[in-house]
Amino acid sequence: MDRRRLEQIERYVLDFFRTAGRTRIVAQDLFDSTAEFANADIVRALEDLEKTQRLLVRHTTEGNDYISLTAQGAALLDLDQLDVDEGSALPHPPKSATKAT
């Protein structure tokens, strides 16, 4: 996927949060919200926003898949960090930071 397309989908994901006015959403709601982008492309954008930009985290609670903004993501979108009841929804450190040398 080219970088411009990835950035377009990332903007869509962040706008979805902004429009919803929430810092945590059900992943399926995002996938169901558009036919413009394939689910696989949305997943690629989520991975980039999570692993590279550290703006969100994906997690499962009681069998439901959620996407939550990190404090950085919420600040970027000017959203209050309201949905922070997920103690386990913290960004993981990059693999390179956890490798033994």
Side-chain angles (χ1 to χ4, degrees):
M1 173 185 304
D2 71 53
R3 188 72 198 158
R4 282 180 292 160
R5 177 78 170 161
L6 182 63
E7 289 171 354
Q8 179 185 18
I9 299 168
E10 289 174 350
R11 279 192 303 274
Y12 176 81
V13 169
L14 295 175
D15 285 343
F16 188 87
F17 276 99
R18 187 179 290 119
T19 300
R22 303 196 59 213
T23 58
R24 184 177 71 168
I25 59 170
V26 176
Q28 192 62 47
D29 292 347
L30 175 63
F31 294 126
D32 292 344
S33 69
T34 184
E36 181 179 357
F37 308 118
N39 286 357
D41 291 340
I42 293 173
V43 169
R44 285 184 195 96
L46 292 172
E47 287 174 351
D48 188 62
L49 289 167
E50 180 178 26
K51 295 177 182 173
T52 305
Q53 301 182 45
R54 319 281 287 168
L55 296 178
L56 58 83
V57 292
R58 296 174 289 164
H59 53 98
T60 302
T61 303
E62 296 179 8
N64 296 309
D65 294 325
Y66 292 96
I67 306 165
S68 295
L69 293 174
T70 61
Q72 291 169 304
L76 178 71
L77 299 179
D78 292 325
L79 293 174
D80 292 329
Q81 191 75 18
L82 299 174
D83 302 319
V84 284
D85 59 335
E86 301 300 322
S88 63
L90 298 173
H92 300 283
K95 285 187 180 182
S96 61
T98 60
K99 287 184 180 176
T101 55

